[in-house]
Each structure stands twice: as C-alpha cells, then as structure tokens.
Amino acid sequence: MTLPPLNPWVSLLIAGLLEVAWASGFKFVGPSRPVTSLVVGVTMIASFWFLWLATQKLPIGTAYAIWTGIGAVGAAGIGILVYGEPSTTLRILCILMIVSGIVGLKLFSGVQ
C-alpha cells in the first residue's frame, strides 16, 4: 500500500509547522526530561523528512527559505504569545517582512 503523493507546498507547510514545534520545544529538552527530548527529536526528524519531500518538486533555495521563514515567524510568535518575549513595533515589523518574503518566494517560484 502506498500513500498518494503529497502536494509539495503542503509538505513544506507541514515541515515548517513541525520546525516551529521542535524549535519551541528546545526550551524543555534535557537529561532530566528524556520523553520530552525524544518527542522534540522525532519532531525534528519529521520536519526534515517533510522538507526533503518538498524539495523533490520545489527549488531547494525556495523550499529552504520558506521552511526557515515559517520556523522563524512561528518561533517568534510562540516566544511572544507563550513565553512573554517582547512584542515591540520593530520586532513585529521584522516578522511581517519575513512573512512578505515567504509569500514572495511562493508567488515567484515558478512552481504550482
């Protein structure tokens, strides 16, 4: 039994969301938390696997930039919303610039 092929943009979105999860989970990794550490490690591997799937159809530069962009925006958002990190106007503006770069890369990648 084989799974139907996954749209590369969906794979990339899943990879990015998993990156947000493992990057945010780093705050809780350590020898005294083996289960948490294992979950973060498995999430990291899954993120790389979905990124690999996406790169089979998308340009590597586009896929990698979008993957890291989703991770950066998501981790910054988690930092602000969950961990109480500063949400200054300049910080939000920088996050919006990353989002505009992600959208631009998707729109002008030449791949549907």
Side-chain angles (χ1 to χ4, degrees), residues 12-90:
L12 189 55
L13 177 63
I14 292 168
L17 295 174
L18 288 168
E19 185 188 9
V20 173
W22 67 256
S24 300
F26 266 148
K27 285 183 94 56
F28 306 104
V29 168
S32 64
R33 296 177 172 158
V35 174
T36 302
S37 301
L38 179 64
V39 169
V40 168
V42 168
T43 306
M44 185 182 293
I45 291 167
S47 177
F48 282 115
W49 188 74
F50 279 101
L51 175 63
W52 171 79
L53 279 179
T55 61
Q56 302 309 295
K57 301 280 185 187
L58 301 175
I60 188 68
T62 300
Y64 184 72
I66 291 175
W67 178 69
T68 58
I70 292 170
V73 168
I78 295 291
I80 291 168
L81 297 172
V82 176
Y83 300 127
E85 295 175 3
S87 62
T88 63
T89 302
L90 285 177

